[in-house]
Amino acid sequence: MNPVKENVVLIIVVIMALTLSVVVTGAFAADQPEQVIKITAKKFEYSPNVITIKKGVPVILEFTSLDRVHGFTVPDLGGIRATIEPGKTTQVRIVAPKTGSYDFHCDLFCGDGHEDMTGKIIVVE
Ligand SMILES: [Cu+2]
C-alpha cells in the first residue's frame, strides 16, 4: 500500500473507533438511572446536610419533611429552589457545571432557628 492510502485507512479506522466509543458511552449512560439522594428536612436541619456530587452528572435530590413546610434553595447553583411539604416527596434535579462548594438553605420561615437550617453541596471532578 502506498503511504497516502495507509494514512487514509488509519484516519478512517480512528474515526470509526471514536464514533463507536461515543455510541457505546451514550448507551451506557442511558442505562444508568440517575442517582437519587434522599434528604429529610425538619426544624431546623437537613439530613444529610453535606452532599457530595460529581460535576456534570445529574442527580435527583428527594426531600421529605418530618414536620412542616420548609424551603430549599442553592443560590449559587442556578437558583435552584423547592418547597418541601410534609406528607409528600419533592424531587429536585441538579447538574452542577463547576466544581466547588455551594451553600444551600431553607428559604421559607419555619420558626425560631430557621436561619440555622443550612447545608452544603460539594461538587467534585
Ligand atoms: Cu426555614
Side-chain angles (χ1 to χ4, degrees):
M1 231 192 280
N2 75 46
V4 174
K5 264 194 186 164
E6 216 166 88
N7 280 344
V8 169
V9 169
L10 184 67
I11 289 167
I12 290 171
V13 168
V14 167
I15 289 171
M16 285 172 69
L18 286 176
T19 308
L20 185 66
S21 73
V22 167
V23 170
V24 168
T25 312
F28 181 71
D31 277 354
Q32 296 285 99
E34 288 175 355
Q35 185 193 4
V36 177
I37 298 173
K38 293 186 183 211
I39 302 168
T40 58
K42 65 172 190 194
K43 295 180 187 176
F44 298 98
E45 61 183 13
Y46 299 95
S47 180
N49 64 1
V50 178
I51 297 146
T52 302
I53 66 171
K54 282 191 175 172
K55 184 180 95 175
V57 179
V59 165
I60 310 277
L61 303 181
E62 187 177 282
F63 292 95
T64 47
S65 170
L66 303 182
D67 44 30
R68 51 152 293 144
V69 175
H70 293 284
F72 170 80
T73 186
V74 200
D76 294 332
L77 215 53
I80 286 168
R81 85 156 306 280
T83 298
I84 308 162
E85 292 173 53
K88 64 184 226 178
T89 58
T90 303
Q91 292 196 335
V92 181
R93 186 175 187 271
I94 58 170
V95 188
K98 288 197 297 185
T99 58
S101 174
Y102 301 88
D103 292 330
F104 63 81
H105 65 269
C106 174
D107 63 350
L108 294 174
F109 183 78
C110 55
D112 204 7
H114 160 75
E115 294 77 13
D116 299 325
M117 198 162 166
T118 60
K120 250 181 223 314
I121 296 178
I122 295 168
V123 181
V124 296
E125 213 40 80

